[in-house]
Amino acid sequence: MLQVVQAFDRAPITEIATDDAAALEAKLAAAQRAFRDRDGWLKPHERMAILRRLAGLVESKRDHLAMQIAREGGKPLPDAIVEVTRAIDGIHNAADELRNLSGREIPMGLSPAAIDRWAFTTREPIGIVAAISAFNHPLNLIVHQVAPAIAVGCPVIVKPAGTTPLSCLDFVALVHEAGLPEAWCQSFIPETTELAEKLATDARIAFLSFIGSAKVGWSLHSKLAHGARSALEHGGAAPAIVERSADLDAIIGPIVKGGYYHAGQVCVSTQRIYVHQDIADEFTQRLVTQVQALRVGDPVLKDTEVGPLILPKEADRIAAWVDEAVQAGAGLATGGGRLSETTLEPTVLLAPPTEAKVSQLEIFGPVVCVYPYAKLDDAITQANALPVAFQASVFAQDIDIAMRAANRLDASAVMINDPTTFRTDWMPFAGRRESGYGTGGIPFTMRDMTQEKMILMRRS
């Protein structure tokens, strides 16, 4: 049995049954039987109808799901409500995208050997999808992995994070209630981590969707069956450059949201802020004032803005990293304290050494680091210095400077005057280098979960 507890106070919520090796084999075999029966594949209009019904069912349980996200994952309730709203929209997005998912004509007649022929491609589902998800968006990440698979006609077996399985289990139940046969969408709660690896690397898996740590993701990627595709979404240490033309009245709020949303437990959370030295003091003063005003506490309360870390050991790790940075010479502008077993004060560090863990590694907690700079290109060089690269921001009113930074930052997306955490669920979302592989975003995932087949016809 797996015990599920509240992230904030570790109070038990419930216990759920886990799956053993025999259960995994049964799920894989059921998915394989369903996929091999081509006559049983649902037509696109049937899959669209199921997704529409699913969106309605999720909407009918909006309050329940939001509270569950807050309890098991520790996300503040206002943000959890937004997550459910995004999930509903994401399901509709997958259904809508089926109107655009198509093949293409391959030109013939371009050589004597190709005359009197017509060729075109169609898109087919790639096969069984293994989806391994993360705790920080326990509903919306599941939607990002499962809804595309349903839309394109891939059977999917989804493993949620062990700390936040309840949102996934509820969602899969709603998928079945919406009319999708059980074999086409199954949850998997492994009794051991070895079984999760067995799922991902089974020869019957055609596509692995993995959201989580880079160490685990890249290890699984190296063990995939031959021909299997993957999409890996890991973390980063997102940089933001604040140039001296930036409108401080307008940007402090978004930067605070970017750094402390879900207590910094977001793969594109703003972590390293490079501020022009001419405005560094004023920027820091304003930043600290807003950070100190954040309401920290129980995520189920409607006015909470920053909740807990997912586990006590994560709070231990982050507190140790902050102490290390301060002892090495970083200024502690605010925070640094501990409010509970899992809850830390939102923290601002000033100019931590480049070799400190907070400057080198993903913090994944409520900590931002501020570094002054004199030359823009020096800030860009520092921002690009790590082996991780995901989303980045530049805040400036000078368009030439904003575009220079945007063009030179090593990132898959650069936000100008928006925080690093900005995302819509239909835009491409991808980590570079150690931060990931492939491109997320519902329309892009749908394409990755299909493969083109060419059909050629010769006139007699």
Side-chain angles (χ1 to χ4, degrees):
M1 300 293 287
L2 175 65
Q3 185 177 63
V4 185
V5 303
Q6 294 189 150
F8 178 66
D9 57 10
R10 315 300 294 163
I13 300 175
T14 189
E15 286 189 341
I16 58 175
T18 55
D19 295 311
D20 59 14
L24 173 58
E25 175 56 33
K27 291 172 190 286
L28 284 164
Q32 185 180 47
R33 283 193 301 271
F35 189 68
R36 283 182 170 176
D37 178 17
R38 289 202 171 216
D39 291 337
W41 286 10
L42 295 172
K43 303 293 188 292
H45 73 88
E46 294 174 309
R47 301 195 300 269
M48 289 177 72
I50 288 169
L51 289 167
R52 300 292 188 207
R53 288 194 293 270
L54 175 60
L57 290 170
V58 173
E59 188 165 11
S60 72
K61 293 186 175 294
R62 183 193 305 266
D63 292 344
H64 161 76
L65 290 167
M67 183 60 72
Q68 189 156 266
I69 290 167
R71 293 182 70 200
E72 67 174 347
K75 180 176 289 184
L77 186 58
D79 294 327
I81 294 170
V82 171
E83 179 175 340
V84 180
T85 301
R86 284 180 59 188
I88 296 165
D89 184 66
I91 298 165
H92 282 300
N93 188 356
D96 292 341
E97 188 60 25
L98 277 173
R99 300 184 185 277
N100 303 315
L101 195 70
S102 61
R104 57 200 171 96
E105 183 177 356
I106 306 298
M108 290 288 114
L110 303 181
S111 70
I115 62 172
D116 293 332
R117 288 166 176 84
W118 176 45
F120 59 92
T121 66
T122 61
R123 283 194 171 270
E124 295 184 336
I126 191 172
I128 302 173
V129 172
I132 298 179
S133 206
F135 77 87
N136 53 341
H137 307 286
L139 178 64
N140 200 42
L141 290 181
I142 299 294
V143 167
H144 271 255
Q145 296 170 295
V146 172
I150 295 172
V152 303
C154 288
V156 57
I157 301 173
V158 55
K159 189 205 88 66
T163 49
T164 56
L166 301 181
S167 296
C168 175
L169 294 177
D170 278 355
F171 179 74
V172 172
L174 293 178
V175 168
H176 298 155
E177 186 178 341
L180 189 72
E182 184 173 346
W184 289 88
C185 181
Q186 303 174 84
S187 60
F188 179 54
I189 311 294
E191 63 182 12
T192 66
T193 55
E194 289 77 16
L195 283 177
E197 179 174 321
K198 188 174 176 61
L199 165 66
T201 58
D202 188 275
R204 288 163 287 190
I205 295 300
F207 189 92
L208 170 65
S209 171
F210 179 88
I211 304 173
S213 80
K215 180 180 179 181
V216 175
W218 286 111
S219 174
L220 292 177
H221 178 79
S222 71
K223 299 174 183 178
L224 294 180
H226 292 175
R229 295 182 190 169
S230 68
L232 310 178
E233 185 180 309
H234 304 317
I241 293 176
V242 182
E243 203 270 327
R244 57 184 164 188
S245 69
D247 181 354
L248 296 186
D249 290 332
I251 71 170
I252 299 296
I255 287 176
V256 170
K257 188 68 174 179
Y260 300 97
Y261 167 71
H262 199 6
Q265 298 170 115
V266 183
C267 59
V268 289
S269 180
T270 304
Q271 178 173 322
R272 298 174 294 145
I273 307 176
Y274 299 95
V275 186
H276 194 280
Q277 61 187 15
D278 289 357
I279 61 168
D281 289 344
E282 183 182 2
F283 172 87
T284 301
Q285 182 180 17
R286 292 190 183 209
L287 176 69
V288 168
T289 298
Q290 286 212 21
V291 170
Q292 290 174 337
L294 290 169
R295 295 182 293 273
V296 185
D298 190 339
V300 304
L301 302 179
K302 288 189 286 188
D303 64 347
T304 297
E305 295 173 292
V306 179
L309 281 303
I310 190 65
L311 291 169
K313 69 177 183 179
E314 289 301 301
D316 293 341
R317 173 186 61 79
I318 295 163
W321 286 15
V322 170
D323 289 345
E324 175 203 66
V326 171
Q327 291 174 16
L332 181 62
T334 190
R338 193 158 185 162
L339 302 177
S340 77
E341 190 178 11
T342 55
T343 310
L344 300 178
E345 289 180 338
T347 299
V348 177
L349 294 175
L350 304 180
T354 56
E355 66 273 13
K357 290 186 178 70
V358 296
S359 297
Q360 290 288 321
L361 304 174
E362 180 182 29
I363 297 173
F364 218 62
V367 180
V368 301
C369 304
V370 179
Y371 309 83
Y373 74 88
K375 296 180 179 179
L376 177 65
D377 285 356
D378 291 341
I380 294 170
T381 297
Q382 292 179 64
N384 292 343
L386 302 184
V388 292
F390 213 135
Q391 298 195 160
S393 290
V394 54
F395 295 89
Q397 292 300 299
D398 186 321
I399 188 63
D400 290 337
I401 288 177
M403 290 307 300
R404 180 177 180 84
N407 287 330
R408 285 162 173 76
L409 282 166
D410 184 9
S412 59
V414 178
M415 314 302 165
I416 296 177
N417 295 324
D418 249 332
T420 59
T421 48
F422 179 83
R423 183 183 186 184
T424 64
D425 297 310
W426 58 88
M427 77 186 208
F429 189 73
R432 290 183 173 182
R433 293 187 280 142
E434 292 184 11
S435 289
Y437 182 79
T439 302
I442 286 170
F444 303 90
T445 299
M446 287 173 62
R447 282 162 177 75
D448 281 350
M449 289 181 178
T450 61
Q451 52 193 351
E452 282 191 309
K453 173 188 283 183
M454 191 186 78
I455 298 174
L456 184 142
M457 300 173 64
R458 180 179 182 183
R459 289 206 302 261
S460 59

